[in-house]
Amino acid sequence: MRDREREHGLGLGLKVLPDRGRLWVNLPDGRSVAWYDRPAGRVSVLSDRHRDAALAVLRPYLTGAWTVGPPPVPSAADLARLSLHPDDDLAPNRPGEALLGELEHGAAGARTRHRMRPDLLAQERVGAELDALEGAGWRALHAVPLPGAGRIDHLLIGPGGVWCVRAVAGRRQRVHVGDLLVTVGRAEPRPDVRWVRRAAERATHALVTAVTPALVVVESNRLEKVPSLRDVAVLEPATAAARLTRAPATLKPSDIEALFTTARNRHTWSDV
């Protein structure tokens, strides 16, 4: 019986497509007829006509306890997300979006481009680590624009709160993190600590919730941090995920989605 049901679903041309914790069941023309919300353990079906066929193609992917029913009533966050204009949606931003644009279309010289590439690779590495936390209930935004041409490298929202993350390219050298400045090798100190602290304050104002600043140092030979630095977390890619997921849970799933919906709107950051 199960094989016949599955064949029936495939016969209708139904396709299962993954997207941000959900599996969508679509018709050949792209219209969705059902979806499986993994974190909620719920299969939502838009029409009884496609119920059996949708369940047939989803069944190999269903795990643990799950329920079937009509779509839930949209929350305020859902309505805000659905009304967001694509040009104002920051969710599609890639890690290092601004640097990618500068490298591909900017007028910088060869030496400047050479200096930019390690910073881009650091943001891409950190972005990949943060995106991998989505299965644990976290949501990440990248290249969040701030007034004055500044950008938050990564904004992470999840059970352990909201984090403003700045990626630092260690360039395979010793990295010293002080109370205000970061020194990579023998280069001039940079105000990364001061900058991420200020960016977290601006994010706190924009989102009306506490935001913790963090530096993630990528590919350093040795990482040093002054003991007096307590308000800014200093992490490395290999340990960042474990550190963040160990943070005490302060946000519920509904809070996470509401904050993520607010943060992905470009206009949220226009006056901070």
Side-chain angles (χ1 to χ4, degrees), residues 20-260:
R20 288 194 173 275
R22 286 184 175 180
L23 290 175
W24 294 87
V25 181
N26 290 357
L27 291 169
D29 62 6
R31 287 181 298 157
S32 298
V33 296
W35 64 85
Y36 171 41
D37 190 332
R38 289 183 186 274
R42 178 184 177 86
V43 177
S44 296
V45 183
L46 293 174
S47 169
D48 288 339
R49 174 187 174 192
H50 298 107
R51 178 188 176 99
D52 293 341
L55 286 176
V57 297
L58 278 174
R59 201 175 300 276
Y61 306 98
L62 301 177
T63 58
W66 48 275
T67 59
V68 184
V73 176
S75 64
D78 293 329
L79 295 175
R81 174 177 54 81
L82 292 171
S83 64
L84 184 61
H85 192 280
D87 290 344
D88 295 325
D89 190 359
L90 302 177
N93 282 6
R94 299 164 293 177
E97 186 83 26
L99 291 177
L100 282 167
E102 187 66 25
L103 285 170
E104 292 176 4
H105 309 293
R111 180 173 297 180
T112 301
R113 290 172 181 268
H114 179 73
R115 288 199 300 265
M116 290 168 60
R117 285 193 176 90
D119 294 328
L120 173 60
L121 292 175
Q123 291 188 34
E124 291 178 332
R125 171 74 184 280
V126 174
E129 295 289 339
L130 300 183
D131 285 338
L133 294 175
E134 184 174 323
W138 294 77
R139 308 299 296 271
L141 287 171
H142 311 290
V144 176
L146 296 173
R151 290 181 184 270
I152 295 175
D153 290 350
H154 315 279
L155 189 74
L156 188 66
I157 305 171
V162 183
W163 295 72
C164 176
V165 181
R166 185 171 179 87
V168 176
R171 303 171 188 265
R172 302 185 185 279
Q173 300 181 63
R174 180 181 70 91
V175 177
H176 177 81
V177 182
D179 289 312
L180 297 175
L181 305 174
V182 172
T183 305
V184 179
R186 298 182 179 180
E188 288 293 320
R190 308 189 323 182
D192 293 272
V193 179
R194 186 169 55 198
W195 191 96
V196 76
R197 187 182 284 129
R198 174 58 179 152
E201 292 174 357
R202 298 171 80 176
T204 296
H205 174 74
L207 301 177
V208 197
T209 192
V211 178
T212 304
L215 294 175
V216 180
V217 181
V218 180
E219 291 192 346
S220 65
N221 281 345
R222 187 167 81 249
L223 177 59
E224 301 172 350
K225 184 189 79 166
V226 295
S228 55
L229 182 62
R230 296 188 178 92
D231 64 322
V232 177
V234 180
L235 311 170
E236 295 181 276
T239 59
R243 167 68 175 82
L244 295 170
T245 53
R246 284 200 310 266
T250 59
L251 296 177
K252 299 179 294 185
S254 58
D255 299 328
I256 295 169
E257 287 305 314
L259 285 168
F260 182 72

Side-chain angles (χ1 to χ4, degrees), residues 4-18:
R4 286 199 298 273
E5 288 177 349
R6 192 174 180 189
E7 288 173 3
H8 175 59
L10 295 175
L12 291 176
L14 298 182
K15 298 180 180 179
V16 178
L17 301 173

